[in-house]
Amino acid sequence: REREQEKEEKEGEDDEEKEEEGDEEKEHQRADDAEEELLRAMEDIKSQSRRQLRENGTEQQCPVRTLSTILKQNRAFLPPNDTIDLLKIDVEGEELAALQG
């Protein structure tokens, strides 16, 4: 009887561990999907910008959004701990201004 109870407890613990691993995998997958979506959006913007540049000459107007606005709009895609370990920006020497939002 005790062995059966121990076995059931062990199986319950194993199930909990598998569930936690599954949740962790889902979180990583969501973060990966969000990253891919953002990269696709960035590529679309770059392509559109290049096309407009070719069509309009050397001067171009483009929409501007602050980093804080982008992060707020994409909060659902941020990692669970809400930290960004690496951020690549290319703002021609205006990195501090970009990071200040």
Side-chain angles (χ1 to χ4, degrees), residues 66-69 87 89 94-101:
T66 63
L67 180 57
S68 56
T69 299
L87 176 65
I89 54 176
E94 296 297 320
E95 288 81 4
L96 181 59
L99 290 172
Q100 289 174 336

Side-chain angles (χ1 to χ4, degrees), residues 13-82:
E13 289 172 4
D14 290 345
D15 289 344
E16 287 178 22
E17 286 178 18
K18 286 179 185 176
E19 188 176 314
E20 287 175 9
E21 289 173 4
D23 290 344
E24 200 171 298
E25 274 186 42
K26 287 177 187 176
E27 288 175 14
H28 286 293
Q29 186 60 48
R30 279 198 305 265
D32 289 345
D33 292 347
E35 181 180 7
E36 287 180 30
E37 183 178 334
L38 289 173
L39 289 173
R40 278 194 303 273
M42 288 170 44
E43 286 302 319
D44 289 346
I45 291 168
K46 286 193 319 190
S47 296
Q48 182 182 16
S49 296
R50 287 185 188 119
R51 188 172 44 256
Q52 288 176 349
L53 185 58
R54 280 193 306 270
E55 293 170 0
N56 300 331
T58 59
E59 195 170 311
Q60 175 181 343
Q61 291 184 357
C62 62
V64 176
R65 294 184 300 164
T66 63
L67 180 57
S68 56
T69 299
I70 293 168
L71 292 174
K72 285 177 189 173
Q73 290 172 343
N74 294 286
R75 178 160 294 287
F77 301 112
L78 288 175
N81 58 4
D82 282 342

